Amino acid sequence: MPHAGGVSEEQFRAALSRLAAGVVLVTAHDPEEGPRGEDVGMTATAFLSVSLDPPLVMVSVRTGARMDELLERQPLWAVSILAEDQRQVAGRFAMKGRVSDRLLFQELPHTRGAASGAPLAARALAHLECRTEQRVAAGDHTLVIGRVLTAATPGTAEGPLTYFRGRYRRLG
């Protein structure tokens, strides 16, 4: 069924699946969950640079999702830009309906960001730690714009993990 603008959800998905996107792991620490808090993560392909001065990035999060609810009250979060050999990491954190991320983080080699307290995936191409500057409602998603507090490039020689036509891909 077409939306008000005349484009069906299927047409929209098919057209946008032709846009290759980088894959990131967005993480945050929820200090209110349990005695020591809990780490939360989600895979995202709708992530981009917004501004150089000040350094801003944006991630699109489904409205009402666990990460959306957490980032509404927790302003500190992190992004790990995934390498091409981290397809399994992307797939695990993209699973819908999981009860807890605790097991996923136990099996993910990571460090904790000094500025955000959020997990940073080992072997990622880059790490960014952010503080939310603005949240914008956009259809069924929330655009979370964050000021980059720290940025690091650990120095892996891998290429980026990309998402194209509904599948994770390698460049080249």
Side-chain angles (χ1 to χ4, degrees):
M1 173 183 300
H3 290 273
V7 176
S8 73
E9 187 174 310
E10 293 78 24
Q11 291 169 320
F12 182 73
R13 282 180 191 250
L16 272 288
S17 76
R18 271 51 173 192
L19 177 65
V23 183
V24 302
L25 176 63
V26 179
T27 57
H29 182 74
D30 185 354
E32 297 177 12
E33 188 67 37
R36 290 185 212 138
E38 185 172 7
D39 296 323
V40 177
M42 69 165 240
T43 301
T45 55
F47 174 79
L48 55 93
S49 168
V50 173
S51 168
L52 185 60
D53 185 19
L56 299 174
V57 294
M58 186 207 71
V59 65
S60 180
V61 181
R62 180 175 291 283
T63 302
R66 186 169 182 204
M67 185 63 77
D68 180 46
E69 292 171 358
L70 175 56
L71 294 183
E72 192 168 19
R73 59 185 164 77
Q74 164 59 287
L76 299 173
W77 46 283
V79 174
S80 297
I81 299 175
L82 299 180
E84 61 191 0
D85 68 347
Q86 293 181 301
R87 182 182 304 207
Q88 186 178 28
V89 173
R92 296 176 98 197
F93 282 92
M95 290 185 305
K96 298 199 185 323
R98 58 186 192 271
V99 176
S100 170
D101 289 356
R102 187 170 284 124
L103 291 175
L104 297 178
F105 281 108
Q106 284 178 353
E107 297 179 12
L108 174 70
H110 65 278
T111 58
R112 196 160 293 282
S116 66
L120 303 171
R123 297 187 346 267
L125 297 179
H127 297 131
L128 303 167
E129 292 183 89
C130 305
R131 182 185 66 240
T132 300
E133 294 272 312
Q134 188 176 1
R135 293 171 50 87
V136 179
D140 59 2
H141 278 65
T142 301
L143 307 179
V144 182
I145 299 169
R147 180 180 295 254
V148 177
L149 305 173
T150 69
T153 52
T156 179
E158 294 281 332
L161 180 61
T162 58
Y163 194 73
F164 180 70
R165 285 192 159 181
R167 295 189 4 220
Y168 296 114
R169 312 268 183 152
R170 294 174 183 242
L171 288 182

